[in-house]
Amino acid sequence: MTRLTSAQRKMLASTAMLTLVCLAWLTRFRPWGWWGMGAIVASWLADGLLAKYPPVLGKVPGGFFIGAGFFALAHACYGAASVMVLRAMGLPFRWLNFSLLVAAFALAVGFHAWLFARSSKRATGFTVAACAYLMVVGVMASLAFRVGVETGGRLWMLPLGACLFFLSDCILVVREYRREKSAVMNGAIWSTYLTAQFLLQLGLWLA
């Protein structure tokens, strides 16, 4: 019996998540459900590209950056869904609490400045792309936190899912800077990532 490769197992898990999420939205659809499904589809495409084009020997192929772009699109979809939830609650969209956005940007910039200072071997292009990507994640997380606060904690799944997504991406970036392919880091990335997707989708589904 042929054993599945690590990339195949990851895509199997991603496909299962995609299928379950789409079926769930068919049973309880909301206007922001389109954004929720868009996020999971974009994530699935990103998973496939990152599995097919992983960095090798410190070199980052173009397909990897395209996959990261799809993940950024997924975060944009989650952010748009959060905005729709806030509007459905009758709350104006004021670009969130500005302090949260500033904190998200500062965290992304500071995180990568620290990493780049510790690793002069990594190309500047990778640092800029990763920093911009985590800024997008930060905006999504800020919006998720606003929904969580405005609902009195009822939709606590959204901010928690956003935090886990951010953590998963940070571990991934650290792994690429260190060029380390340890089973522990891979397990941490996928466990936090899949849990984050589940919590974000569940929060939007219950909104």
Side-chain angles (χ1 to χ4, degrees):
M1 183 177 179
T2 304
R3 295 185 60 182
L4 295 175
T5 64
S6 176
Q8 289 173 330
R9 290 195 299 270
K10 291 174 181 177
M11 282 311 300
L12 184 61
S14 182
T15 302
M17 177 71 73
L18 170 68
T19 304
L20 291 174
V21 166
C22 290
L23 288 175
W25 278 115
L26 290 176
T27 64
R28 179 187 168 90
F29 194 77
R30 295 290 185 274
W32 46 87
W34 293 113
W35 291 113
M37 286 192 287
I40 203 67
V41 169
S43 297
W44 181 78
L45 291 171
D47 289 334
L49 285 166
L50 267 59
K52 185 174 178 60
Y53 301 103
V56 178
L57 299 177
K59 296 182 179 180
V60 184
F64 183 90
F65 287 106
I66 297 174
F70 274 112
F71 266 133
L73 177 61
H75 290 304
C77 287
Y78 278 129
S82 295
V83 171
M84 289 194 70
V85 171
L86 290 170
R87 286 180 172 174
M89 295 169 59
L91 297 171
F93 178 62
R94 295 169 295 194
W95 269 109
L96 180 328
N97 295 332
F98 187 69
S99 59
L100 284 177
L101 286 177
V102 172
F105 289 144
L107 180 60
V109 173
F111 178 71
H112 286 283
W114 175 74
L115 282 177
F116 189 67
R118 293 172 59 89
S119 177
S120 59
K121 296 180 181 180
R122 178 58 71 188
T124 305
F126 179 86
T127 301
V128 173
C131 185
Y133 170 76
L134 279 189
M135 286 183 179
V136 176
V137 181
V139 173
M140 181 276 292
S142 299
L143 289 167
F145 267 95
R146 171 115 190 257
V147 174
V149 170
E150 295 293 353
T151 58
R154 182 175 67 86
L155 298 179
W156 56 268
M157 297 78 71
L158 287 173
L160 179 57
C163 285
L164 287 176
F165 220 138
F166 192 86
L167 175 61
S168 176
D169 289 330
C170 285
I171 297 173
L172 174 62
V173 171
V174 170
R175 186 191 71 179
E176 295 310 319
Y177 267 98
R178 295 174 60 180
R179 299 173 183 174
E180 180 180 333
K181 301 295 183 182
S182 71
V184 173
M185 294 193 80
N186 288 338
I189 291 169
W190 271 85
S191 60
T192 51
Y193 166 67
L194 291 175
T195 304
Q197 289 280 22
F198 172 77
L199 290 173
L200 286 168
Q201 292 289 338
L202 179 62
L204 291 175
W205 192 76
L206 293 174

